[in-house]
Amino acid sequence: MDYEAVIGLETHVQLKTRSKMWCGCPNQYGAPPNTHVCPVCLALPGVLPVANEEALRLTLRTGLLLQCEIPARAKFDRKNYFYPDAPKNYQLTQYDQPSTRNGHVEFEFNGTLSRVRITRAHLEEDVGKSTHFERHSGVDFNRAGVPLLEIVTEPDLTSADQTHAYLNALKEILQYGGISDCDMEKGMVRCDVNVSVRPCGTQALGAKIEIKNMNSFSGVRRALEYEIPRQIAAVRRGEKLVQSTRRWDDVAGVTEEMRSKENAHDYRYLPEPDLMPFEPAQDWLDNERASLMELPLARKQRLMREYQLPAGDAEVLKNNRALGDYYEPIARLSKNPKLLANWIINNLQARLVEIMEKEKTEQASLGLEPDEMKFTGLADLKFKPSDLLDLVEMVARGALSSASGQTVLAEMVASGKAPSAIVQSMGLAQVSDAGAIETLCDQAIAQNPNPVADYKAGKEAALNALKGQVMKLSRGKANPAMVGEILQRKLRG
Amino acid sequence: MLNQHTISDLTRRLAQREISAREITQSCLDRIQQVDGRVRAYLSHDPADALAQADAADQTIAREGWNEARPLMGIPVAIKDVLAVRNHPLNCASKILGNYISPYDATAIEKLRAAGAIIHGRLNMDEFAMGSSTENSAFGTTRNPWDLARIPGGSSGGSAAAVAADECIASIGTDTGGSIRQPAALCGCVGLKPTYGRISRFGLVAFASSLDQIGPITKDVRDAALMLKVLSGKDSRDSTSLPDPVPDYPATLSGNIKGLKVGLPREYLVPGLDSEVKKSVDAAVQKLVGLGADVCEVSLPHTDYAVATYYIIATAEASANLARFDGIRYGMRVDGNDPAELYSRTRGAGFGPEVKRRIILGTYVLSSGYYDAYYLRAQKVRTLIRNDFLNAFEKVDVLVTPTTPTAAFKVGEKAENPLQMYLSDIFTISCNLAGICGISVPCGFTSPGNLPIGLQILGPPMGESTLLRVAHAYEQSTDWHKAKPPLQ
Ligand SMILES: [Zn+2]
């Protein structure tokens, strides 16, 4: 019998707020241990939490981006468990009245559109971080009380690859929305996976097995690539799988049992009496809705539709939001939006990479750490986006060769001058005067008897060598299309 | 002696430069020296610090004159050991906090300081405010100044005893189920439990967060009004504090209660009600009638469920609130081989039996499978109890009841019987469940025995002005508040 996997995810994402969830301590990664702490986030006797409005707002925004319902009233609950990294020995979370619920995410997978239902996205707080030394342990509470969004899916995923694609789509949405930086290395995204197997075509769910401790999206994929065949093999052997929690060992590449259902925690949820229920005001919600950004996938589809971009280019402009935002306003004015996209994705990006490499070397020699380095970005360019539009239009109408266009772009980056001024001062305007090009072609034919003979003998490629010679004679300014035409005519004649 | 006087007396004389803050403070310190070895109201206090604050107050008065905006200038106020005071010990009368010193001031303390008060001493209480006698303190029982063989009530027993014995001018207590009103009644003081949310709880170590409220214990009603005005108001650090404007409470003490409607809850005539207490409360009601009030009987039908409801909700919240005392970050620690062992050893050694009993009870009522039957049902009953009161306040302005079923009992008398002890809060508990306000004022003495009896007046949410006006009118028509305990 064939089996299929049923997969659901709980993804924890740190929100990009200035301060922590209940106090004014900075929400900032990388400070020395226990320097971003105060009586509130250390749970000293007598303190009370005060909800961070920015976190509440980002939660609602997430809900809207994930097509969720926003209930009129949400509340916080205490989830009780003892652990040294939990300062209060309870975690504040939203148990039965979350801020958002019943949404979905759409993403491309295997050439089609996948849809995963979102059960809920609720707000909670992060805990501290334990470090174990030889004879003792330490806890860093800098992270304690950082706002955390838990995004729970329905069991709608069916494979490791699809799960991986969902996570990437989710990350993209959260980064797009300014909700989280989703930096895996800084622990900003963590996920738990629930997976079970069942005979293909059946509906009942098998014993749910939870896998913890994956710290990258590829870790999730590898864990599933291990766990799904493990469960199927076990079922085929006639073993009965039971609800349990397993831990992913990234080094060994295996999952191992942590605890079974009998040892499951009883969290004794209790409504948090120190906080009032949260009832988002209508104008607050309306504002958030009105200022909501387009989802990445919708943008890609629209770029393809409105500007006739190939899927690959639209994907690049979707993935790199800054680049997409640079492109769109000038694309609307452009007669050649496809060519414009090409110039931005290839030539402009190449320039930026070039600059970054140079700046990296410079700043490294000044002794700066990679974290502290600053690079020129799109916003720092000396020329206006409309200048780039002008440049591409010149190339498109043949007033400038593609090669000269590159030279002009380099000068625009360096000086910020307008392309027309550069073309004029460097004398790069493309020569489209047929008489002048004919003279150059005659010259090239006279000076290169061998390619001429080759072409006449049927070697089409030889024409390119001759074209190159003409371009060289024109110092790159001859209109290449006209050169090709005239050469062909002369050689055939 | 200055320590016997009220805030309003002393501030009037301070304003006239007749006396100094140092003299007031010194008189309290002398009295502590004289009687606290027997009363044991204070867990600790720092005379040098108190005198330094007094001198600073005197200098301010000398420099700037008397400032009405700082109505507690130069007045020593003693603090229950459950409120955080910067650089002072904070123990909640428990061993588990070890030698913990608070790094910050509670909002109530900040407000007292801003009003010019001298923050002095740590007052004894039942451990984590769990109890009605101070017998649950890890540091010994406070004695009732009226009879040293008897308890002062609790949990704010130290706060009431210190005021009654004139060891301070006023004190701060907290009331979760009667912990201000009951000891105030048993010690012959005025004790005010404000509406839930009236005073910020920031810096109050939580016992039961949805029931806890800070309030003053004073020598008369005017002082309570004065303290309430200083302490009240919205606090950005306490989301449950209420934004309502703070009235000038002392200005509402007109003495006039003509036509005021007073309700007597039928259900409060319980079998355990002491006849002496009943006699005094009946006489007080007659006094109110004499002052022009209209008295009628009202019903609070869910009263019978109050004690059970209270002990479910309060212990459930306490079980989570007290989880932070784990030996990891502060306070006492008994090491173990792993966190679980460290926790159980620390908490096993650090908490007293009543605290453990309530944590276990609270843990149980929240456990999966029991939550609906206990906690959820208790929340529903709590709503019914609140509605009982709101319905009653449609018909009457205030309710009048005894504060306690009996006068102060003997040390050890109920210590072995927690249920009996819980029932001593039977008249005060509903007020916290309903989130309304209440006050206890002296209304007589037992005879024989000469033990104080308290009259409880309950008002609707944010009804403090009316509450204080009635309490003040009654008080001014009697001499009970002027009596001093026979303590030399
Ligand atoms: Zn903090």
Side-chain angles (χ1 to χ4, degrees), chain B residues 400-458:
Chain B
V400 165
T401 80
T403 308
T404 58
T406 66
F409 46 90
K410 290 216 162 93
V411 172
E413 193 180 323
K414 294 185 181 177
E416 296 308 310
N417 189 341
L419 200 59
Q420 262 289 299
M421 190 75 94
Y422 294 175
L423 288 173
S424 67
D425 295 333
I426 188 160
F427 298 138
T428 48
I429 267 176
S430 299
C431 168
N432 300 74
L433 289 168
I436 60 172
C437 57
I439 192 169
S440 179
V441 291
C443 72
F445 290 88
T446 57
S447 170
N450 198 35
L451 296 170
I453 296 168
L455 179 74
Q456 177 174 243
I457 308 168
L458 299 171

Side-chain angles (χ1 to χ4, degrees), chain B residues 181 261-271 273 278 281-282 285 288 294-304 306 385 388-393 395-403 426-428 430-431 436-437 455-459:
Chain B
R181 289 158 290 156
K261 294 196 190 69
V262 173
L264 304 178
R266 187 181 304 149
E267 291 78 8
Y268 281 48
L269 285 169
V270 294
L273 180 59
K278 185 172 186 307
V281 171
D282 287 346
V285 170
L288 291 172
D294 295 328
V295 174
C296 66
E297 199 177 78
V298 295
S299 176
L300 302 170
H302 297 91
T303 297
D304 275 356
I385 290 171
D388 278 358
F389 279 97
L390 298 183
N391 290 337
F393 288 125
K395 301 185 202 85
V396 298
D397 298 304
V398 294
L399 298 168
V400 165
T401 80
T403 308
I426 188 160
F427 298 138
T428 48
S430 299
C431 168
I436 60 172
C437 57
L455 179 74
Q456 177 174 243
I457 308 168
L458 299 171

Side-chain angles (χ1 to χ4, degrees), chain A residues 335-400:
Chain A
K335 292 191 200 81
N336 304 281
K338 259 172 88 170
L339 184 65
L340 180 63
N342 210 312
W343 269 76
I344 288 179
I345 292 168
N346 298 314
N347 306 337
L348 183 61
Q349 278 231 89
R351 292 285 154 204
L352 286 171
V353 169
E354 218 174 81
I355 294 169
M356 191 180 79
E357 291 301 332
K358 218 172 108 207
E359 289 173 336
K360 211 182 255 174
T361 320
E362 281 171 17
Q363 294 181 41
S365 71
L366 287 171
L368 269 78
E369 295 295 321
D371 271 13
E372 307 164 320
M373 293 185 179
K374 293 237 173 343
F375 304 116
T376 300
L378 286 166
D380 309 311
L381 288 171
K382 289 180 189 159
F383 59 87
K384 300 191 297 281
S386 61
D387 290 340
L388 184 70
L389 174 66
D390 291 346
L391 173 65
V392 173
E393 297 300 305
M394 272 191 246
V395 173
R397 67 170 186 266
L400 194 63

Side-chain angles (χ1 to χ4, degrees), chain A residues 38-48 87, chain B residues 43-44 80-106 122 128 139 202-206 324-333:
Chain A
C38 71
V40 174
C41 55
L42 287 175
L44 296 192
V47 297
L48 297 171
Chain B
L43 290 174
S44 66
K80 186 177 180 180
D81 189 27
V82 72
L83 275 138
V85 176
R86 194 173 139 80
N87 294 334
H88 284 212
L90 173 57
N91 291 91
C92 305
S94 177
K95 281 189 285 183
I96 204 155
L97 274 151
N99 51 13
Y100 180 80
I101 303 285
S102 178
Y104 75 95
D105 271 341
R122 307 298 299 171
F128 285 103
F139 308 117
F202 185 80
L204 158 61
V205 182
R324 69 187 57 192
F325 304 103
D326 59 2
I328 300 285
R329 283 148 297 126
Y330 48 78
M332 183 181 129
R333 175 189 292 178

Side-chain angles (χ1 to χ4, degrees), chain B residues 3 17 23 37 67 71 139 162 171 208 232 266 296 347 362 390 424 438:
Chain B
N3 56 311
R17 310 287 201 285
E23 286 166 330
N67 180 354
F139 308 117
S171 69
S232 295
R266 187 181 304 149
C296 66
R347 291 163 66 83
L390 298 183
S424 67

Side-chain angles (χ1 to χ4, degrees), chain A residues 80 82 268, chain B residues 94 96 127-128 130 206-207 311-326 343 346-348 350-367 422:
Chain A
N80 293 288
F82 276 77
R268 295 178 281 110
Chain B
S94 177
I96 204 155
E127 183 178 2
F128 285 103
M130 296 178 179
F207 156 21
Y311 278 94
I312 289 169
I313 291 172
T315 59
E317 291 178 6
S319 71
N321 282 332
L322 270 61
R324 69 187 57 192
F325 304 103
D326 59 2
Y343 293 148
T346 301
R347 291 163 66 83
F351 288 136
E354 181 62 23
V355 172
K356 286 179 189 163
R357 184 180 295 125
R358 296 199 194 189
I359 290 174
I360 291 167
L361 187 59
T363 304
Y364 177 80
V365 300
L366 290 175
S367 298
Y422 294 175

Side-chain angles (χ1 to χ4, degrees), chain B residues 64-370:
Chain B
E64 299 166 12
W66 183 258
N67 180 354
E68 290 298 335
R70 303 190 72 187
L72 300 178
M73 182 58 76
I75 302 298
V77 176
I79 310 298
K80 186 177 180 180
D81 189 27
V82 72
L83 275 138
V85 176
R86 194 173 139 80
N87 294 334
H88 284 212
L90 173 57
N91 291 91
C92 305
S94 177
K95 281 189 285 183
I96 204 155
L97 274 151
N99 51 13
Y100 180 80
I101 303 285
S102 178
Y104 75 95
D105 271 341
T107 300
I109 301 298
E110 280 183 357
K111 284 179 174 274
L112 289 173
R113 285 194 204 281
I118 293 163
I119 306 298
H120 177 228
R122 307 298 299 171
L123 294 169
N124 198 18
M125 55 189 274
D126 288 289
E127 183 178 2
F128 285 103
M130 296 178 179
S132 311
S133 67
T134 73
E135 289 167 293
N136 296 331
S137 167
F139 308 117
T141 304
T142 298
R143 302 304 171 119
N144 192 315
W146 292 86
D147 178 351
L148 294 173
R150 292 179 187 266
I151 56 94
S155 64
S156 312
S159 302
V163 171
D166 294 321
E167 297 178 70
C168 60
I169 307 305
S171 69
I172 297 292
T174 63
D175 192 316
T176 306
S179 283
I180 286 175
R181 289 158 290 156
Q182 185 255 22
L186 301 190
C187 291
C189 318
V190 173
L192 172 65
K193 186 215 92 91
T195 304
Y196 184 78
R198 179 76 286 193
I199 297 176
S200 167
R201 292 182 295 116
F202 185 80
L204 158 61
V205 182
F207 156 21
S209 315
S210 75
L211 301 161
D212 294 342
Q213 192 57 199
I214 293 170
I217 295 181
T218 55
K219 299 183 190 195
D220 71 4
V221 174
R222 181 170 294 279
D223 281 4
L226 203 63
M227 294 279 281
L228 182 65
K229 187 185 171 190
V230 167
L231 293 166
S232 295
K234 174 76 186 163
D235 179 11
S236 62
R237 289 171 297 184
D238 177 0
S239 317
T240 63
S241 64
L242 294 168
D244 306 49
V246 180
D248 184 1
Y249 292 112
T252 64
L253 306 179
S254 63
N256 180 4
I257 57 165
K258 279 205 180 61
L260 188 104
K261 294 196 190 69
V262 173
L264 304 178
R266 187 181 304 149
E267 291 78 8
Y268 281 48
L269 285 169
V270 294
L273 180 59
D274 181 82
S275 61
E276 290 282 312
V277 172
K278 185 172 186 307
K279 208 163 71 186
S280 292
V281 171
D282 287 346
V285 170
Q286 286 318 306
K287 191 67 113 180
L288 291 172
V289 172
L291 291 166
D294 295 328
V295 174
C296 66
E297 199 177 78
V298 295
S299 176
L300 302 170
H302 297 91
T303 297
D304 275 356
Y305 306 105
V307 172
T309 302
Y310 174 84
Y311 278 94
I312 289 169
I313 291 172
T315 59
E317 291 178 6
S319 71
N321 282 332
L322 270 61
R324 69 187 57 192
F325 304 103
D326 59 2
I328 300 285
R329 283 148 297 126
Y330 48 78
M332 183 181 129
R333 175 189 292 178
V334 185
D335 259 314
N337 290 312
D338 55 40
E341 195 174 71
L342 183 151
Y343 293 148
S344 62
R345 285 184 180 171
T346 301
R347 291 163 66 83
F351 288 136
E354 181 62 23
V355 172
K356 286 179 189 163
R357 184 180 295 125
R358 296 199 194 189
I359 290 174
I360 291 167
L361 187 59
T363 304
Y364 177 80
V365 300
L366 290 175
S367 298
S368 105
Y370 299 99

